[in-house]
């Protein structure tokens, strides 16, 4: 396992490696071309994942057993997040951080589920490292998406991924975050390149914003954090806002704030 980990870590994401890879294509076997065609087809057939669409359902093997994604979500909120590969440094810090935030996600009624294009055995070994390094006990499922079926369904790839494939046919996925509501609608998408770790506080912050917006019919301004003043949406007149909310402040007829500690 250690040697496979070392192989993963040593792979580079620079333009230079892309050039090397492209040069290597001349000597690739026919099976590689078939694989590339399959990936290109999968990329073309992948559904449009606009905010508000139903999150595509799938069945998958995970570190917590086989799942049907919609049944897994059930009536909860969910966060589906991908990372480039097991045994890579940034991913290891990310998964450790998410595992340590278990109580915060639970408090908000959000189920976590991760994904990378590696198999269950690899995930199992990697979780041991994550737990050791981050002093945690990672309990949420990680999807074993070795054939990248789910990664393509959710477009968790960048342009370079289509060429950035190793000898075993594994291509990296990017760092995607899908926040899905209990009606299984995609409510928010974040896409980060492999080089840039995510911000777990930002993930919790946007969940707070979405849930408050759903419950109270308000919107949230730039850099908002839970408890701070929120915005009365344009669909509510100031007169109605004053009946509905406390401490309504009109900065402009179209910009009205109210207290964020809405009961
Ligand atoms: C990382 O997790 O450190 C990583 C993974 C793939 C590419 C670059 C960085």
């Amino acid at each position: 396992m250690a040697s496979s980990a070392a192989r993963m870590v040593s792979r580079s994401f620079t333009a230079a490696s892309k050039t090397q890879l492209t040069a290597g294509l001349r000597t690739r076997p026919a099976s590689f071309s078939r694989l590339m065609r399959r990936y290109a087809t999968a990329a073309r057939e992948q559904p449009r994942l606009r905010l508000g669409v139903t999150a595509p359902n799938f069945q998958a093997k995970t570190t917590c057993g086989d799942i049907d994604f919609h049944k897994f979500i059930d009536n909860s909120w969910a966060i589906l997040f991908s990372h480039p590969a097991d045994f890579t440094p940034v991913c290891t810090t990310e998964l450790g951080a998410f595992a340590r935030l278990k109580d915060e996600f639970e408090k908000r009624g959000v189920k976590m589920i991760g994904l990378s294009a590696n198999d269950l055995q690899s995930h199992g070994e990697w979780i041991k490292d994550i737990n050791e390094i981050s002093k945690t006990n990672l309990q949420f499922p990680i999807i074993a998406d070795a054939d990248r079926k789910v990664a393509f369904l959710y477009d968790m790839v960048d342009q370079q991924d289509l060429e950035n494939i190793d000898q075993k046919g594994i291509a990296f996925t990017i760092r995607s975050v899908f926040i899905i509501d209990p009606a299984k609608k995609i409510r928010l998408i974040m896409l980060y390149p492999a080089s840039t770790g995510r911000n777990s506080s930002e993930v919790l912050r946007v969940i707070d914003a979405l849930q408050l917006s759903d419950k109270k019919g308000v919107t949230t301004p730039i850099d908002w954090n839970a408890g701070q003043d929120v915005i009365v949406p344009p669909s509510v007149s100031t007169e109605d806002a004053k009946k509905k909310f406390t401490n309504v402040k009109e900065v402009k007829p179209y910009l009205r704030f109210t207290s964020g500690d809405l009961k």
Side-chain angles (χ1 to χ4, degrees):
M1 188 48 62
S3 63
S4 119
R7 268 201 308 279
M8 288 288 195
V9 174
S10 70
R11 287 193 288 191
S12 159
F13 272 69
T14 60
S17 79
K18 186 177 174 186
T19 310
Q20 281 159 13
L21 251 164
T22 313
L25 282 175
R26 282 191 290 277
T27 55
R28 295 278 187 187
S31 59
F32 181 81
S33 305
R34 277 200 298 279
L35 194 71
M36 290 293 289
R37 272 201 301 278
R38 187 154 66 80
Y39 282 166
T41 305
R44 271 200 304 277
E45 291 172 358
Q46 165 261 320
R48 276 186 191 228
L49 298 179
R50 294 196 174 113
L51 299 187
V53 301
T54 300
N57 197 21
F58 58 85
Q59 286 74 39
K61 293 201 178 308
T62 82
T63 49
C64 299
D66 293 358
I67 61 150
D68 172 280
F69 187 50
H70 282 188
K71 288 192 184 134
F72 166 80
I73 298 173
D74 195 21
N75 287 318
S76 298
W77 285 74
I79 157 176
L80 167 65
F81 56 102
S82 62
H83 47 269
D86 295 356
F87 297 102
T88 51
V90 177
C91 303
T92 303
T93 63
E94 288 191 318
L95 275 268
F98 280 119
R100 289 172 67 102
L101 287 170
K102 175 176 174 286
D103 292 348
E104 292 298 323
F105 283 98
E106 265 178 21
K107 211 158 69 183
R108 293 161 174 82
V110 182
K111 290 183 178 172
M112 287 187 268
I113 182 162
L115 174 149
S116 71
N118 299 99
D119 62 25
L120 277 183
Q121 195 197 344
S122 166
H123 284 354
E125 292 297 320
W126 186 40
I127 287 171
K128 289 182 204 163
D129 277 8
I130 295 167
N131 287 340
E132 179 196 323
I133 293 162
S134 294
K135 305 206 173 9
T136 188
N137 178 17
L138 191 156
Q139 290 176 6
F140 57 80
I142 303 178
I143 297 166
D145 195 36
D147 59 3
R148 303 208 324 164
K149 195 181 88 183
V150 181
F152 275 114
L153 192 61
Y154 277 78
D155 203 13
M156 294 164 161
V157 289
D158 68 12
Q159 199 55 39
Q160 187 179 306
D161 287 332
L162 298 174
E163 295 170 9
N164 202 2
I165 295 166
D166 73 6
Q167 294 294 345
K168 289 190 206 152
I170 292 184
F172 288 110
T173 42
I174 57 168
R175 302 181 197 283
S176 303
V177 178
F178 289 88
I179 297 175
I180 299 163
D181 71 13
K184 323 272 185 307
K185 302 290 183 209
I186 296 177
R187 296 293 300 277
L188 196 139
I189 303 172
M190 299 176 182
L191 303 178
Y192 287 64
S195 59
T196 307
R198 283 160 282 205
N199 183 323
S200 55
S201 305
E202 172 64 0
V203 175
L204 290 172
R205 190 191 76 87
V206 293
I207 290 169
D208 285 341
L210 288 167
Q211 293 186 342
L212 186 67
S213 184
D214 283 7
K215 275 193 213 130
K216 301 293 179 185
V218 291
T219 55
T220 51
I222 176 76
D223 294 337
W224 175 87
N225 275 298
Q228 295 175 345
D229 284 358
V230 293
I231 288 178
V232 177
S235 54
V236 182
S237 69
T238 301
E239 192 188 344
D240 286 348
K242 283 182 176 160
K243 289 183 205 145
K244 196 170 170 194
F245 303 117
T246 55
N247 201 16
V248 173
K249 289 165 276 184
E250 188 178 274
V251 179
K252 292 278 176 191
Y254 60 85
L255 177 59
R256 290 87 33 92
F257 287 92
T258 180
S259 303
D261 55 351
L262 299 156
K263 298 285 176 289

